[in-house]
Amino acid sequence: PAPLSPVAGAVPEALSWAPQTHNPQSALLGGPVVVLGVCVAACATALGMWYWGLRKASPVPPNASTWAMASTVEEMAEADPRLAQALAKAKGMVSKAIADHPVIVFMKGVPSQPQCGYSAGLVEVMNSYPSVKWVSCNVLQDDMIREAVKIVGDWPTLPQLYVNGELIGGYDIVTDMHKTGELKGVLPVTKKEEAAE
């Protein structure tokens, strides 16, 4: 595919799924967008390379008949200890990202170029609160991370918004909360922004 054209204030695409700070004010002011979690990105990349290396080395899992009947990644992990280990590691990374960042969005793509309409809609809602600093994780960069996000939050769809370690919801819930004004009470909105509304 053709390389993505840079957008002012865009988050670098090359850092795998790592949480990336997104502050609409920095894009407006022309300041740099600070990228967080470089170590997490390295771990995610290493995990992805390790996982795909295992799949290439062993295309048929040890218990293929059980794997074929499994309907979820968790069920497949029960049949394959290596997959179970990789999934546990990915869940730990997702949990750490949620704990380390007060406002985090797990989405398809990045805020500057969402890869689905729901992710684009959630970014639009988040941009309605310019004083809120939030980070995003592109779950399309790593299949294990994408599955781990769904398992950790016990929520089957993406995007997902977490505030202070709590899953707020996906696009529909967050949009409804935004329309009713309830989201403003959940997000760390500054007094200046509240006064402006």
Side-chain angles (χ1 to χ4, degrees):
L4 300 172
S5 58
V7 178
V11 178
E13 308 284 334
L15 291 177
S16 188
W17 78 279
Q20 300 165 341
T21 299
H22 179 71
N23 180 354
Q25 288 180 327
S26 67
L28 295 174
L29 300 175
V33 173
V34 180
V35 178
L36 299 176
V38 174
C39 292
V40 175
C43 290
T45 302
L47 176 63
M49 290 169 44
W50 173 80
Y51 173 70
W52 288 114
L54 284 179
R55 290 192 61 181
K56 287 179 184 173
S58 175
V60 177
N63 192 349
S65 61
T66 305
W67 241 42
M69 295 182 335
S71 62
T72 67
V73 172
E74 287 180 299
E75 290 174 356
M76 288 188 285
E78 289 175 13
D80 185 347
R82 294 173 303 176
L83 181 60
Q85 183 181 16
L87 184 58
K89 194 172 204 174
K91 289 184 341 188
M93 292 167 63
V94 168
S95 295
K96 182 171 177 7
I98 292 168
D100 288 351
H101 303 286
V103 182
I104 186 166
V105 174
F106 292 96
M107 61 181 286
K108 294 178 180 177
V110 295
S112 61
Q113 296 192 320
Q115 297 295 304
C116 82
Y118 297 113
S119 292
L122 190 59
V123 167
E124 187 176 321
V125 168
M126 294 303 294
N127 285 341
S128 300
Y129 303 92
S131 69
V132 175
K133 289 188 168 107
W134 55 286
V135 296
S136 66
C137 292
N138 181 1
V139 299
L140 295 179
Q141 296 292 333
D142 189 304
D143 289 337
M144 291 303 278
I145 295 296
R146 182 172 59 237
E147 293 304 318
V149 168
K150 295 174 185 178
I151 293 167
V152 167
D154 195 20
W155 194 260
T157 60
L158 292 159
Q160 295 180 10
L161 169 65
Y162 282 82
V163 177
N164 296 323
E166 181 183 343
L167 174 63
I168 303 304
Y171 169 76
D172 292 335
I173 292 172
V174 172
T175 301
D176 289 345
M177 290 175 71
H178 172 63
K179 288 176 182 174
T180 63
E182 187 181 353
L183 187 59
K184 188 180 356 176
V186 174
L187 293 172
V189 177
T190 64
K191 298 292 182 197
K192 181 180 176 184
E193 188 173 325
E194 286 178 359
E197 294 180 9

